Amino acid sequence: EVQLVQSGAEVKKPGESLKISCKGSGYTFTNYWIGWVRQTPGKGLEWMGVIYPGDSDTRYSPSFQGQVAISVDKSISTAYLQWNSLKASDTAIYYCARHSASGNYGSEFGYWGQGSLVTVSS
Amino acid sequence: EIVLTQSPGTLSLSPGERATLSCSTSQTIPSRFLAWYQQRPGQAPRLLIYGAFNRATGIPDRFSGSGSGTDFTLTISRLEPEDFAVYYCQHYDSFGPGTKVDIK
């Protein structure tokens, strides 16, 4: 069974750094694009970016390029989303999600993590 | 960048009724890259339809997708209580704003 298990809720202050995680299991981690989707309170879904764990090829939405960093550690089947300097506007739920089809950049997200709530407040 | 528009913003219906949700894209897209998701309150999104008309594993057959070019439709033939949720369409790196289906 494919599972994506995300790290827990975080409360941070503006300017702090943060790295949240998403551990995949039940499939060959290196063969499927995995990405991050933001959902701000009461709002819709925003595609942030994806990474192919096989070669770490990473694609970002223009809206998030330079604002966050997506990475993986293949040895522990885990993807990460990182901020160097958080802002209050980063307060949101962040979902990791895996593409349905292996190796296909344009595939839909067939599997989702449970979400990680990030709260940034002074 | 392709922009996705969904209509209506909110659809108020009763259980047992038919729901028709629309997703329009700003440019023609290949149907194989259009997906639909359901999100219930407090839950992660769930894939319903991929490739415009293919039901994902475990999705009941009351859900169906259709369309091509720039206009796509998600139809729920008879609404069950658990279907009252928000529905999003997606193409590559863009999601639509969502349609909320709520109880009339």
Side-chain angles (χ1 to χ4, degrees):
Chain A
E1 179 196 5
V2 174
Q3 285 194 311
L4 299 174
V5 178
Q6 298 184 228
S7 49
E10 301 273 2
V11 179
K12 291 289 190 177
K13 291 182 168 30
E16 291 186 333
S17 63
L18 176 64
K19 193 174 190 177
I20 62 175
S21 66
C22 170
K23 183 172 176 60
S25 62
Y27 71 98
T28 303
F29 185 73
T30 51
N31 288 2
Y32 295 81
W33 290 86
I34 190 166
W36 293 91
V37 175
R38 184 173 82 173
Q39 186 165 41
T40 44
K43 296 288 178 63
L45 305 174
E46 296 175 273
W47 190 98
M48 301 178 71
V50 292
I51 188 166
Y52 189 70
D55 61 7
S56 294
D57 184 8
T58 310
R59 316 284 176 90
Y60 292 96
S61 161
S63 299
F64 292 95
Q65 179 83 48
Q67 308 304 308
V68 297
I70 296 172
S71 61
V72 292
D73 185 336
K74 290 187 290 188
S75 68
I76 55 172
S77 300
T78 300
Y80 299 97
L81 179 65
Q82 182 173 5
W83 295 260
N84 287 335
S85 181
L86 286 159
K87 302 185 276 287
S89 57
D90 293 319
T91 295
I93 297 174
Y94 293 87
Y95 293 101
C96 68
R98 198 209 81 175
H99 278 183
S100 294
S102 85
N104 183 350
Y105 171 71
S107 175
E108 62 288 337
F109 288 124
Y111 300 91
W112 293 70
Q114 82 276 20
S116 297
L117 174 62
V118 174
T119 303
V120 184
S121 174
S122 54
Chain B
E1 180 192 349
I2 294 177
V3 178
L4 278 62
T5 305
Q6 291 187 243
S7 61
T10 302
L11 196 52
S12 296
L13 295 167
S14 300
E17 288 195 294
R18 181 184 188 90
T20 303
L21 289 66
S22 295
C23 175
S24 295
T25 59
S26 58
Q27 300 173 39
T28 296
I29 65 167
S31 298
R32 66 184 181 276
F33 295 131
L34 192 286
W36 290 93
Y37 301 85
Q38 176 194 66
Q39 188 177 33
R40 296 170 175 151
Q43 294 187 16
R46 176 175 72 143
L47 177 67
L48 294 177
I49 301 287
Y50 64 96
F53 54 84
N54 300 292
R55 273 189 300 277
T57 302
I59 302 303
D61 60 7
R62 64 180 181 272
F63 291 92
S64 63
S66 62
S68 64
T70 60
D71 294 297
F72 299 88
T73 300
L74 175 69
T75 302
I76 311 170
S77 59
R78 285 196 315 276
L79 284 163
E80 297 287 341
E82 62 268 28
D83 299 337
F84 292 93
V86 181
Y87 294 83
Y88 297 95
C89 58
Q90 181 215 2
H91 167 69
Y92 270 119
D93 57 0
S94 294
F95 287 96
T99 291
K100 183 178 182 181
V101 179
D102 67 13
I103 299 177
K104 189 174 182 181

